[in-house]
Amino acid sequence: MIWFFVIVGGLLAALGLLYWRWRRGVDAQIAEGAAIEWAQLEKHEPEFLEGLSREEFNEVYARVHTPRFPGYALAAFATFLISLPVSFVLLAGALWGLQSIGAIPEPVEVADRLLLEGDQVRFFKSAPPEAALYYIEDLSGFYYFFGIIVIWLLIVAFYMRRYHGRRPGYLRDEIIRSRQKGD
């Protein structure tokens, strides 16, 4: 298990470094675009910029034009990897709890209910009765498979809800909104 955390930590550190370098380049381009847009608005629509400082404009411009998807994708991916061991513990605990109250039959009980012909299970043509037990135990792996898929879908839903909920409007709308906040 420790190797899982070492590998995941290394992978996330490498991805974080790549994101950080990419973000520095994007921030430089955003600052350049903000300066150009400020000059353009100051020249053609100075009354629109009244009550707004250059720093506030740069913040609004960056909020509107900075790509947000890579950051959310990295956060979702990190949450996937970090939540995997916790998900397995939760699923194992849920399976144990359901089995202890009798909501899920034990594999032995299911294997006993299969039709037997002599010492062979009818479901299997050329296998001993123990094969049914192994087969049924393997089917319980689907609980984990679908449980992990449900947990990952919940993670994606969480991040997509935040992504769309925090979406900025157009530059003009955000400038008007930031001036109204300041009043």
Side-chain angles (χ1 to χ4, degrees):
M1 182 60 90
I2 190 73
W3 283 109
F4 174 80
F5 289 115
V6 169
I7 291 169
V8 165
L11 180 63
L12 290 178
L15 289 173
L17 180 65
L18 286 173
Y19 176 74
W20 176 74
R21 289 191 66 200
W22 171 81
R23 183 66 188 254
R24 277 186 32 203
V26 167
D27 288 343
Q29 292 174 353
I30 295 283
E32 181 182 334
I36 294 169
E37 188 73 26
W38 175 265
Q40 188 75 10
L41 286 172
E42 199 172 46
K43 181 179 179 182
H44 296 291
E45 299 179 67
E47 68 281 350
F48 184 66
L49 294 176
E50 287 177 8
L52 191 66
S53 70
R54 177 79 186 259
E55 291 77 28
E56 291 171 335
F57 178 80
N58 287 345
E59 288 174 17
V60 170
Y61 189 88
R63 183 173 56 241
V64 170
H65 291 290
T66 301
R68 299 175 313 122
F69 179 75
Y72 279 92
L74 181 60
F77 185 66
T79 307
F80 286 158
L81 292 178
I82 292 169
S83 73
L84 198 57
V86 175
S87 301
F88 281 132
V89 167
L90 291 175
L91 290 171
L95 188 62
W96 176 81
L98 290 172
Q99 284 177 344
S100 66
I101 63 172
I104 297 176
E106 291 289 328
V108 174
E109 294 172 7
V110 176
D112 287 342
R113 291 183 186 161
L114 293 174
L115 298 175
L116 296 174
E117 291 179 358
D119 62 344
Q120 298 291 319
V121 178
R122 187 172 187 193
F123 184 71
F124 301 99
K125 298 282 186 213
S126 61
E130 297 84 26
L133 182 62
Y134 291 129
Y135 177 72
I136 293 166
E137 285 177 350
D138 287 342
L139 288 179
S140 67
F142 281 108
Y143 292 126
Y144 290 100
F145 175 75
F146 288 115
I148 293 296
I149 286 177
V150 166
I151 290 169
W152 283 3
L153 286 174
L154 291 173
I155 291 169
V156 167
F158 171 76
Y159 280 108
M160 287 299 101
R161 187 174 188 91
R162 287 180 58 93
Y163 178 82
H164 291 292
R166 295 179 173 200
R167 179 182 59 222
Y170 294 112
L171 182 61
R172 288 184 148 319
D173 299 336
E174 290 298 317
I175 289 173
I176 293 168
R177 209 172 282 136
S178 70
R179 278 193 299 193
Q180 288 173 350
K181 264 190 214 178
D183 292 341

